[in-house]
Amino acid sequence: MSLVEEATRIAREFDYPAEQVQRGVSEYIRQLNEGLAKENTTLSQIPTFVTAVPNGTEKGLYLAVDLGGTNFRVCSVQLHGDTTFSLTQSKIMIPRELMASGTSKDLFLFLARQIESFLRIHHNEHFEAHLRRRLDGNHEQDLFDLGFTFSFPVRQFGINSGTLIRWTKGFNIPDAVGHDVCALLQSAIDELQLPVRVAALVNDTVGTLMARSYTSPGETGTFLGAIFGTGTNGAYVEKLDKITKLQHMKDAHYDKSTGEMIINAEWGSFDNHLSVLPSTVYDHDLDAESNNPGVQMFEKRVSGMFLGEILRRALLAIHNNPKLAIFKASETSKVSLPSDSLFYRQWGLDTSLLSQVEADTTKDYVDVKAALKDHLKIENPSNDECEAVKILVHAIGKRAARLSAVPLAAILIDAGKLDSDDVVDVGVDGSLVEFYPNFEGYMREALREVPQVGDAGNKKIRIGISKDGSGVGAALIALVASKDETLHTPHKE
Ligand code: ADP
Ligand code: MG
């Protein structure tokens, strides 16, 4: 068997045909409804207590921070009230040791210090004025309201409180689990005496939905927000009377007048028991050797944190196959792969390589070669080796995009959004959907194959990138929260 034939054989294991998409959609609808009725289900279906989407007329200056992936973001957002905004931001890489070994106090003090330096650089007058007032004993005046985007599963009790259910995406700080993450951030902020009130707890997916709704207010607002970045998740507008588990939440406080509430689906954990999700040996081993085996099984097949590792494992299998030669020098191949290459390291292959490879349309594999060299220090690969990489990249990327159609179709069908002629607006964010070539196209192909969506349904679905969602969205939710006077009780630890 040739290298290309072997790559083609493995690629076929990543096929995700129409009838499997349809089974996925039916099962998603079942898990969706189960999650609205009960606690501790595979789809968490978390009520966010945000009961309206913006229409573009909102105004004011708000702070937002975003913890949920590779970087910590601090920003201030000026909402102009005409669907536009100005945003100032800084991005800081989170040190590995704070993600997975220190205490929650170390992590949250690190975050508060980043907020402090942001304020000193960009809002120093406001900051200094607050310090002077503080000396006069006037603590509560002129605080910045801050939206805290925290993109991990949280059990929320109101718009500004929620306890961490579990870490995902490589984070692991056990002492934070079960604690109110708003209170943890507020005490770190108070320790540094910053003029900041944590007004709202925001999931980045909810933020994406809110931001999209502010910037492109159609007649009905945005219905769904979705992330395809480090992780994957979605949020959508649900009818209050379908969220039957709310009846068991005695202390829950929210505005019932709209009859709707945004639900954070936490769809990364769709079908954790693998009743309908496709699985290869590479998916299996990636999961078994991850720090959270058995959970986030949908995410592990779809998002940026994992696609590179799936590819690496598939290529490594061919590399280690004695009958085949990929990235092994021989009489016919001058390829070189140094022993310290990230190719040999778990999580060593970044998903951006998939985008570079998929985008290559040259016949000499110019971009594939550049990507292999930049990412993995692989030099002089043969055309067959490049072709094998291309075949596998395409299969893994396409399966991720087709899988992404499952929650989208299921939620639209269950909400009856395809029964009328109205356009349904969907906001998306994340490097994968933004940069992987034709990600939306492959997703739409799968959507079309779902009978209840079809060609007609697909045309009604308007998908737009919602950039800076977590910043602007968080600001919008902080705004909603700051207008709700009943929430202004001081935080306690
Ligand atoms: P986050 O999800 O942390 O907010 P992003 O949306 O930028 O941030 O997603 C980062 C993830 O996307 C990482 O897993 C990274 O490997 C992957 N990624 C970065 N650039 C690209 C790209 N050009 N194509 C595909 N994936 C990418
Ligand atoms: Mg993001």
Side-chain angles (χ1 to χ4, degrees):
M1 190 184 293
S2 78
L3 189 55
V4 170
E5 281 166 350
E6 175 65 355
T8 307
R9 186 190 66 76
I10 296 177
R12 269 202 297 273
E13 296 178 30
F14 290 94
D15 279 351
Y16 186 52
E19 89 261 2
Q20 281 196 46
V21 175
Q22 289 164 31
R23 273 182 61 215
V25 170
S26 306
E27 177 60 15
Y28 192 100
I29 291 175
R30 194 191 68 73
Q31 293 183 21
L32 175 162
N33 282 291
E34 184 182 56
L36 291 175
K38 287 189 282 190
E39 295 294 337
N40 304 318
T41 51
T42 46
L43 276 181
S44 303
Q45 295 284 83
I46 299 163
T48 63
F49 303 97
V50 179
T51 57
V53 295
N55 61 18
T57 63
E58 293 76 9
K59 276 186 181 171
L61 178 64
Y62 294 88
L63 279 186
V65 298
D66 177 359
L67 178 71
T70 317
N71 295 300
F72 180 60
R73 245 166 38 114
V74 186
C75 57
S76 56
V77 181
Q78 183 80 52
L79 300 166
H80 301 308
D82 58 357
T83 81
T84 71
F85 61 87
S86 325
L87 184 142
T88 310
Q89 72 159 331
S90 67
K91 246 186 183 182
I92 308 102
M93 264 262 276
I94 302 159
R96 277 251 152 208
E97 63 274 16
L98 285 180
M99 286 169 64
S101 54
T103 64
S104 59
K105 186 153 190 200
D106 297 332
L107 175 68
F108 283 91
L109 267 177
F110 172 81
L111 305 186
R113 279 193 206 100
Q114 308 312 315
I115 297 172
E116 175 167 26
S117 50
F118 179 86
L119 288 176
R120 285 196 185 278
I121 295 167
H122 298 289
H123 299 278
N124 197 40
E125 263 173 48
H126 189 130
F127 189 75
E128 294 289 335
H130 172 81
L131 292 182
R132 282 194 299 277
R133 270 195 301 275
R134 205 177 176 91
L135 291 175
D136 304 335
N138 198 349
H139 292 193
E140 290 287 313
Q141 284 288 302
D142 273 334
L143 296 182
F144 277 105
D145 281 308
L146 175 144
F148 180 19
T149 299
F150 184 77
S151 305
F152 301 95
V154 162
R155 183 159 294 120
Q156 225 170 324
F157 298 103
I159 207 161
N160 67 345
S161 67
T163 56
L164 175 62
I165 298 171
R166 64 177 176 278
W167 291 107
T168 58
K169 295 180 276 189
F171 279 77
N172 184 23
I173 307 162
D175 81 326
V177 175
H179 288 270
D180 180 355
V181 294
C182 286
L184 287 173
L185 180 59
Q186 188 70 58
S187 21
I189 284 171
D190 292 346
E191 199 163 319
L192 303 186
Q193 307 198 339
L194 309 180
V196 176
R197 171 169 53 209
V198 181
L201 181 59
V202 180
N203 184 279
D204 59 349
T205 316
V206 184
T208 296
L209 170 54
M210 296 289 275
R212 170 77 185 173
S213 203
Y214 174 82
T215 51
S216 69
E219 261 170 44
T220 48
T222 299
F223 172 67
L224 190 150
I227 304 268
F228 303 98
T230 303
T232 182
N233 187 17
Y236 69 101
V237 182
E238 184 57 280
K239 300 236 174 357
L240 266 182
D241 56 18
K242 276 190 69 184
I243 315 172
T244 51
K245 67 181 174 186
L246 273 179
Q247 293 154 11
H248 309 297
M249 292 188 185
K250 289 182 287 298
D251 301 330
H253 162 101
Y254 56 94
D255 172 14
K256 299 186 178 64
S257 65
T258 63
E260 297 177 334
M261 184 183 284
I262 298 177
I263 288 287
N264 165 18
E266 286 301 335
W267 73 37
S269 64
F270 167 56
D271 200 38
N272 276 344
H273 51 295
L274 301 185
S275 68
V276 294
L277 285 177
S279 233
T280 66
V281 62
Y282 316 105
D283 297 302
H284 175 275
D285 294 351
L286 177 152
D287 176 59
E289 290 168 37
S290 70
N291 64 16
N292 56 353
V295 297
Q296 302 296 113
M297 297 305 253
F298 181 75
E299 183 165 85
K300 283 174 177 158
R301 285 152 177 75
V302 169
S303 76
M305 169 134 193
F306 303 101
L307 297 189
E309 178 65 6
I310 298 175
L311 173 68
R312 193 188 69 87
R313 284 172 180 274
L315 287 170
L316 200 59
I318 309 179
H319 179 71
N320 291 336
N321 179 341
K323 296 205 203 75
L324 291 161
I326 194 166
F327 309 146
K328 280 184 205 153
S330 70
E331 282 156 33
T332 51
S333 165
K334 294 197 301 290
V335 68
S336 71
L337 167 60
S339 59
D340 68 343
S341 167
L342 289 171
F343 182 62
Y344 294 114
R345 182 139 10 119
Q346 190 185 17
W347 313 117
L349 202 162
D350 193 276
T351 299
S352 57
L353 176 135
L354 277 79
S355 292
Q356 277 170 267
V357 168
E358 179 76 9
D360 191 350
T361 54
T362 67
K363 69 176 195 320
D364 303 326
Y365 304 97
V366 173
D367 303 314
V368 178
K369 287 177 182 167
L372 290 174
K373 181 163 184 254
D374 294 348
H375 288 258
L376 304 173
K377 299 192 202 161
I378 293 171
E379 301 204 53
N380 301 316
S382 67
N383 282 359
D384 272 4
E385 287 172 314
C386 293
E387 182 61 22
V389 172
K390 247 190 129 168
I391 288 167
L392 286 170
V393 162
H394 183 72
I396 292 164
K398 187 169 176 179
R399 188 187 69 167
R402 289 176 61 81
L403 276 165
S404 305
V406 169
L408 210 63
I411 293 169
L412 290 168
I413 292 167
D414 193 68
K417 283 286 161 185
L418 302 166
D419 303 341
S420 79
D421 288 337
D422 299 340
V423 167
V424 192
D425 194 61
V426 173
V428 295
D429 188 17
S431 287
L432 197 59
V433 64
E434 203 178 338
F435 301 121
Y436 188 86
N438 200 34
F439 194 88
E440 184 185 327
Y442 295 129
M443 189 164 87
R444 281 192 179 275
E445 229 168 75
L447 279 173
R448 220 172 283 133
E449 293 163 11
V450 178
Q452 300 100 309
V453 182
D455 244 350
N458 207 350
K459 284 206 191 84
K460 289 191 301 193
I461 304 169
R462 184 174 70 198
I463 299 177
I465 293 273
S466 179
K467 271 235 173 176
D468 290 320
S470 62
V472 186
L476 286 158
I477 300 172
L479 177 148
V480 171
S482 68
K483 299 268 188 274
D484 189 339
E485 288 302 321
T486 60
L487 291 170
H488 287 184
T489 47
H491 283 267
K492 291 197 199 78
E493 203 179 346

PDB file of all heavy atoms in Angstrom, residues 376-401:
ATOM      1  N   LEU A 376       6.595  22.141  12.595  1.00  0.00           N
ATOM      2  CA  LEU A 376       7.139  20.853  13.044  1.00  0.00           C
ATOM      3  C   LEU A 376       8.615  20.654  12.673  1.00  0.00           C
ATOM      4  O   LEU A 376       9.159  19.581  12.914  1.00  0.00           O
ATOM      5  CB  LEU A 376       6.310  19.704  12.454  1.00  0.00           C
ATOM      6  CG  LEU A 376       4.800  19.744  12.756  1.00  0.00           C
ATOM      7  CD1 LEU A 376       4.071  18.651  11.982  1.00  0.00           C
ATOM      8  CD2 LEU A 376       4.545  19.605  14.251  1.00  0.00           C
ATOM      9  N   LYS A 377       9.233  21.671  12.090  1.00  0.00           N
ATOM     10  CA  LYS A 377      10.631  21.589  11.645  1.00  0.00           C
ATOM     11  C   LYS A 377      10.860  20.431  10.668  1.00  0.00           C
ATOM     12  O   LYS A 377      11.945  19.832  10.636  1.00  0.00           O
ATOM     13  CB  LYS A 377      11.584  21.420  12.844  1.00  0.00           C
ATOM     14  CG  LYS A 377      11.564  22.571  13.850  1.00  0.00           C
ATOM     15  CD  LYS A 377      12.764  22.394  14.791  1.00  0.00           C
ATOM     16  CE  LYS A 377      12.576  23.103  16.105  1.00  0.00           C
ATOM     17  NZ  LYS A 377      13.486  22.575  17.149  1.00  0.00           N
ATOM     18  N   ILE A 378       9.830  20.071   9.923  1.00  0.00           N
ATOM     19  CA  ILE A 378       9.980  19.013   8.913  1.00  0.00           C
ATOM     20  C   ILE A 378      10.434  19.665   7.605  1.00  0.00           C
ATOM     21  O   ILE A 378       9.783  20.593   7.113  1.00  0.00           O
ATOM     22  CB  ILE A 378       8.652  18.261   8.706  1.00  0.00           C
ATOM     23  CG1 ILE A 378       8.307  17.480   9.975  1.00  0.00           C
ATOM     24  CG2 ILE A 378       8.721  17.332   7.484  1.00  0.00           C
ATOM     25  CD1 ILE A 378       6.921  16.878   9.972  1.00  0.00           C
ATOM     26  N   GLU A 379      11.563  19.192   7.060  1.00  0.00           N
ATOM     27  CA  GLU A 379      12.075  19.794   5.820  1.00  0.00           C
ATOM     28  C   GLU A 379      12.168  18.767   4.692  1.00  0.00           C
ATOM     29  O   GLU A 379      12.292  17.574   4.936  1.00  0.00           O
ATOM     30  CB  GLU A 379      13.450  20.435   6.077  1.00  0.00           C
ATOM     31  CG  GLU A 379      13.330  21.511   7.161  1.00  0.00           C
ATOM     32  CD  GLU A 379      14.414  22.557   7.072  1.00  0.00           C
ATOM     33  OE1 GLU A 379      14.583  23.144   5.970  1.00  0.00           O
ATOM     34  OE2 GLU A 379      15.075  22.797   8.094  1.00  0.00           O
ATOM     35  N   ASN A 380      12.073  19.299   3.476  1.00  0.00           N
ATOM     36  CA  ASN A 380      12.142  18.486   2.252  1.00  0.00           C
ATOM     37  C   ASN A 380      11.162  17.306   2.195  1.00  0.00           C
ATOM     38  O   ASN A 380      11.547  16.207   1.785  1.00  0.00           O
ATOM     39  CB  ASN A 380      13.564  17.930   2.041  1.00  0.00           C
ATOM     40  CG  ASN A 380      14.580  19.036   1.950  1.00  0.00           C
ATOM     41  OD1 ASN A 380      14.333  20.047   1.273  1.00  0.00           O
ATOM     42  ND2 ASN A 380      15.685  18.890   2.654  1.00  0.00           N
ATOM     43  N   PRO A 381       9.919  17.497   2.579  1.00  0.00           N
ATOM     44  CA  PRO A 381       8.974  16.382   2.415  1.00  0.00           C
ATOM     45  C   PRO A 381       8.707  16.156   0.931  1.00  0.00           C
ATOM     46  O   PRO A 381       8.784  17.090   0.131  1.00  0.00           O
ATOM     47  CB  PRO A 381       7.710  16.872   3.121  1.00  0.00           C
ATOM     48  CG  PRO A 381       7.785  18.373   3.043  1.00  0.00           C
ATOM     49  CD  PRO A 381       9.252  18.711   3.096  1.00  0.00           C
ATOM     50  N   SER A 382       8.422  14.905   0.581  1.00  0.00           N
ATOM     51  CA  SER A 382       8.092  14.601  -0.816  1.00  0.00           C
ATOM     52  C   SER A 382       6.663  15.058  -1.089  1.00  0.00           C
ATOM     53  O   SER A 382       5.896  15.339  -0.167  1.00  0.00           O
ATOM     54  CB  SER A 382       8.184  13.094  -1.042  1.00  0.00           C
ATOM     55  OG  SER A 382       7.158  12.458  -0.292  1.00  0.00           O
ATOM     56  N   ASN A 383       6.310  15.094  -2.367  1.00  0.00           N
ATOM     57  CA  ASN A 383       4.943  15.470  -2.717  1.00  0.00           C
ATOM     58  C   ASN A 383       3.926  14.474  -2.162  1.00  0.00           C
ATOM     59  O   ASN A 383       2.839  14.847  -1.769  1.00  0.00           O
ATOM     60  CB  ASN A 383       4.800  15.594  -4.234  1.00  0.00           C
ATOM     61  CG  ASN A 383       5.388  16.912  -4.734  1.00  0.00           C
ATOM     62  OD1 ASN A 383       5.872  17.723  -3.939  1.00  0.00           O
ATOM     63  ND2 ASN A 383       5.364  17.116  -6.044  1.00  0.00           N
ATOM     64  N   ASP A 384       4.315  13.188  -2.136  1.00  0.00           N
ATOM     65  CA  ASP A 384       3.412  12.182  -1.571  1.00  0.00           C
ATOM     66  C   ASP A 384       3.163  12.434  -0.082  1.00  0.00           C
ATOM     67  O   ASP A 384       2.048  12.278   0.403  1.00  0.00           O
ATOM     68  CB  ASP A 384       3.992  10.771  -1.749  1.00  0.00           C
ATOM     69  CG  ASP A 384       3.579  10.173  -3.086  1.00  0.00           C
ATOM     70  OD1 ASP A 384       2.918  10.898  -3.878  1.00  0.00           O
ATOM     71  OD2 ASP A 384       3.922   9.003  -3.335  1.00  0.00           O
ATOM     72  N   GLU A 385       4.220  12.798   0.613  1.00  0.00           N
ATOM     73  CA  GLU A 385       4.057  13.091   2.040  1.00  0.00           C
ATOM     74  C   GLU A 385       3.125  14.290   2.240  1.00  0.00           C
ATOM     75  O   GLU A 385       2.245  14.276   3.105  1.00  0.00           O
ATOM     76  CB  GLU A 385       5.422  13.330   2.685  1.00  0.00           C
ATOM     77  CG  GLU A 385       6.211  12.030   2.836  1.00  0.00           C
ATOM     78  CD  GLU A 385       7.650  12.223   3.289  1.00  0.00           C
ATOM     79  OE1 GLU A 385       8.344  13.108   2.733  1.00  0.00           O
ATOM     80  OE2 GLU A 385       8.083  11.499   4.186  1.00  0.00           O
ATOM     81  N   CYS A 386       3.320  15.319   1.425  1.00  0.00           N
ATOM     82  CA  CYS A 386       2.455  16.501   1.511  1.00  0.00           C
ATOM     83  C   CYS A 386       1.014  16.137   1.180  1.00  0.00           C
ATOM     84  O   CYS A 386       0.079  16.595   1.851  1.00  0.00           O
ATOM     85  CB  CYS A 386       2.931  17.588   0.550  1.00  0.00           C
ATOM     86  SG  CYS A 386       4.520  18.283   1.023  1.00  0.00           S
ATOM     87  N   GLU A 387       0.853  15.292   0.160  1.00  0.00           N
ATOM     88  CA  GLU A 387      -0.495  14.887  -0.243  1.00  0.00           C
ATOM     89  C   GLU A 387      -1.174  14.104   0.891  1.00  0.00           C
ATOM     90  O   GLU A 387      -2.362  14.310   1.170  1.00  0.00           O
ATOM     91  CB  GLU A 387      -0.438  14.043  -1.527  1.00  0.00           C
ATOM     92  CG  GLU A 387      -1.791  13.596  -2.081  1.00  0.00           C
ATOM     93  CD  GLU A 387      -2.735  14.740  -2.467  1.00  0.00           C
ATOM     94  OE1 GLU A 387      -2.255  15.877  -2.710  1.00  0.00           O
ATOM     95  OE2 GLU A 387      -3.964  14.501  -2.499  1.00  0.00           O
ATOM     96  N   ALA A 388      -0.422  13.246   1.556  1.00  0.00           N
ATOM     97  CA  ALA A 388      -0.981  12.473   2.673  1.00  0.00           C
ATOM     98  C   ALA A 388      -1.458  13.407   3.783  1.00  0.00           C
ATOM     99  O   ALA A 388      -2.550  13.240   4.351  1.00  0.00           O
ATOM    100  CB  ALA A 388       0.063  11.491   3.201  1.00  0.00           C
ATOM    101  N   VAL A 389      -0.644  14.430   4.087  1.00  0.00           N
ATOM    102  CA  VAL A 389      -1.035  15.402   5.120  1.00  0.00           C
ATOM    103  C   VAL A 389      -2.315  16.114   4.700  1.00  0.00           C
ATOM    104  O   VAL A 389      -3.262  16.288   5.484  1.00  0.00           O
ATOM    105  CB  VAL A 389       0.099  16.433   5.356  1.00  0.00           C
ATOM    106  CG1 VAL A 389      -0.366  17.560   6.263  1.00  0.00           C
ATOM    107  CG2 VAL A 389       1.340  15.753   5.931  1.00  0.00           C
ATOM    108  N   LYS A 390      -2.351  16.502   3.432  1.00  0.00           N
ATOM    109  CA  LYS A 390      -3.514  17.239   2.924  1.00  0.00           C
ATOM    110  C   LYS A 390      -4.799  16.418   3.030  1.00  0.00           C
ATOM    111  O   LYS A 390      -5.854  16.920   3.418  1.00  0.00           O
ATOM    112  CB  LYS A 390      -3.280  17.612   1.449  1.00  0.00           C
ATOM    113  CG  LYS A 390      -3.148  19.097   1.245  1.00  0.00           C
ATOM    114  CD  LYS A 390      -3.154  19.496  -0.197  1.00  0.00           C
ATOM    115  CE  LYS A 390      -4.179  20.601  -0.355  1.00  0.00           C
ATOM    116  NZ  LYS A 390      -4.082  21.254  -1.659  1.00  0.00           N
ATOM    117  N   ILE A 391      -4.690  15.147   2.678  1.00  0.00           N
ATOM    118  CA  ILE A 391      -5.859  14.264   2.697  1.00  0.00           C
ATOM    119  C   ILE A 391      -6.404  14.148   4.131  1.00  0.00           C
ATOM    120  O   ILE A 391      -7.614  14.241   4.363  1.00  0.00           O
ATOM    121  CB  ILE A 391      -5.471  12.866   2.143  1.00  0.00           C
ATOM    122  CG1 ILE A 391      -5.263  12.967   0.631  1.00  0.00           C
ATOM    123  CG2 ILE A 391      -6.548  11.827   2.475  1.00  0.00           C
ATOM    124  CD1 ILE A 391      -4.578  11.740   0.011  1.00  0.00           C
ATOM    125  N   LEU A 392      -5.498  13.989   5.090  1.00  0.00           N
ATOM    126  CA  LEU A 392      -5.936  13.824   6.474  1.00  0.00           C
ATOM    127  C   LEU A 392      -6.497  15.125   7.047  1.00  0.00           C
ATOM    128  O   LEU A 392      -7.516  15.137   7.739  1.00  0.00           O
ATOM    129  CB  LEU A 392      -4.775  13.316   7.332  1.00  0.00           C
ATOM    130  CG  LEU A 392      -4.436  11.842   7.094  1.00  0.00           C
ATOM    131  CD1 LEU A 392      -3.140  11.459   7.779  1.00  0.00           C
ATOM    132  CD2 LEU A 392      -5.586  10.947   7.568  1.00  0.00           C
ATOM    133  N   VAL A 393      -5.823  16.234   6.755  1.00  0.00           N
ATOM    134  CA  VAL A 393      -6.306  17.538   7.213  1.00  0.00           C
ATOM    135  C   VAL A 393      -7.732  17.764   6.720  1.00  0.00           C
ATOM    136  O   VAL A 393      -8.632  18.125   7.490  1.00  0.00           O
ATOM    137  CB  VAL A 393      -5.389  18.678   6.706  1.00  0.00           C
ATOM    138  CG1 VAL A 393      -6.093  20.028   6.774  1.00  0.00           C
ATOM    139  CG2 VAL A 393      -4.093  18.715   7.497  1.00  0.00           C
ATOM    140  N   HIS A 394      -7.927  17.513   5.447  1.00  0.00           N
ATOM    141  CA  HIS A 394      -9.240  17.760   4.845  1.00  0.00           C
ATOM    142  C   HIS A 394     -10.322  16.927   5.541  1.00  0.00           C
ATOM    143  O   HIS A 394     -11.407  17.422   5.855  1.00  0.00           O
ATOM    144  CB  HIS A 394      -9.188  17.425   3.356  1.00  0.00           C
ATOM    145  CG  HIS A 394     -10.462  17.715   2.638  1.00  0.00           C
ATOM    146  ND1 HIS A 394     -10.882  19.002   2.373  1.00  0.00           N
ATOM    147  CD2 HIS A 394     -11.429  16.894   2.169  1.00  0.00           C
ATOM    148  CE1 HIS A 394     -12.053  18.949   1.762  1.00  0.00           C
ATOM    149  NE2 HIS A 394     -12.416  17.685   1.629  1.00  0.00           N
ATOM    150  N   ALA A 395      -9.998  15.663   5.812  1.00  0.00           N
ATOM    151  CA  ALA A 395     -10.985  14.768   6.429  1.00  0.00           C
ATOM    152  C   ALA A 395     -11.336  15.211   7.847  1.00  0.00           C
ATOM    153  O   ALA A 395     -12.511  15.227   8.235  1.00  0.00           O
ATOM    154  CB  ALA A 395     -10.428  13.340   6.440  1.00  0.00           C
ATOM    155  N   ILE A 396     -10.312  15.610   8.601  1.00  0.00           N
ATOM    156  CA  ILE A 396     -10.531  15.978  10.002  1.00  0.00           C
ATOM    157  C   ILE A 396     -11.268  17.322  10.092  1.00  0.00           C
ATOM    158  O   ILE A 396     -12.194  17.494  10.898  1.00  0.00           O
ATOM    159  CB  ILE A 396      -9.167  16.025  10.747  1.00  0.00           C
ATOM    160  CG1 ILE A 396      -8.600  14.608  10.855  1.00  0.00           C
ATOM    161  CG2 ILE A 396      -9.309  16.658  12.132  1.00  0.00           C
ATOM    162  CD1 ILE A 396      -7.121  14.545  11.211  1.00  0.00           C
ATOM    163  N   GLY A 397     -10.890  18.264   9.246  1.00  0.00           N
ATOM    164  CA  GLY A 397     -11.545  19.577   9.237  1.00  0.00           C
ATOM    165  C   GLY A 397     -12.987  19.488   8.779  1.00  0.00           C
ATOM    166  O   GLY A 397     -13.892  20.103   9.353  1.00  0.00           O
ATOM    167  N   LYS A 398     -13.217  18.678   7.747  1.00  0.00           N
ATOM    168  CA  LYS A 398     -14.571  18.556   7.202  1.00  0.00           C
ATOM    169  C   LYS A 398     -15.491  17.862   8.202  1.00  0.00           C
ATOM    170  O   LYS A 398     -16.643  18.252   8.369  1.00  0.00           O
ATOM    171  CB  LYS A 398     -14.522  17.776   5.886  1.00  0.00           C
ATOM    172  CG  LYS A 398     -15.842  17.744   5.154  1.00  0.00           C
ATOM    173  CD  LYS A 398     -15.662  17.196   3.749  1.00  0.00           C
ATOM    174  CE  LYS A 398     -17.011  17.068   3.056  1.00  0.00           C
ATOM    175  NZ  LYS A 398     -16.885  16.576   1.693  1.00  0.00           N
ATOM    176  N   ARG A 399     -14.980  16.852   8.891  1.00  0.00           N
ATOM    177  CA  ARG A 399     -15.814  16.178   9.889  1.00  0.00           C
ATOM    178  C   ARG A 399     -16.200  17.168  10.997  1.00  0.00           C
ATOM    179  O   ARG A 399     -17.356  17.199  11.438  1.00  0.00           O
ATOM    180  CB  ARG A 399     -15.092  14.966  10.493  1.00  0.00           C
ATOM    181  CG  ARG A 399     -16.013  14.142  11.392  1.00  0.00           C
ATOM    182  CD  ARG A 399     -15.294  13.026  12.138  1.00  0.00           C
ATOM    183  NE  ARG A 399     -14.386  13.540  13.168  1.00  0.00           N
ATOM    184  CZ  ARG A 399     -13.838  12.790  14.119  1.00  0.00           C
ATOM    185  NH1 ARG A 399     -14.093  11.491  14.171  1.00  0.00           N
ATOM    186  NH2 ARG A 399     -13.010  13.329  14.999  1.00  0.00           N
ATOM    187  N   ALA A 400     -15.243  18.011  11.408  1.00  0.00           N
ATOM    188  CA  ALA A 400     -15.537  18.995  12.464  1.00  0.00           C
ATOM    189  C   ALA A 400     -16.638  19.956  12.011  1.00  0.00           C
ATOM    190  O   ALA A 400     -17.570  20.265  12.762  1.00  0.00           O
ATOM    191  CB  ALA A 400     -14.266  19.767  12.820  1.00  0.00           C
ATOM    192  N   ALA A 401     -16.532  20.411  10.766  1.00  0.00           N
ATOM    193  CA  ALA A 401     -17.520  21.373  10.260  1.00  0.00           C
ATOM    194  C   ALA A 401     -18.896  20.720  10.136  1.00  0.00           C
ATOM    195  O   ALA A 401     -19.922  21.322  10.459  1.00  0.00           O
ATOM    196  CB  ALA A 401     -17.066  21.931   8.915  1.00  0.00           C
TER     197      ALA A 401
END
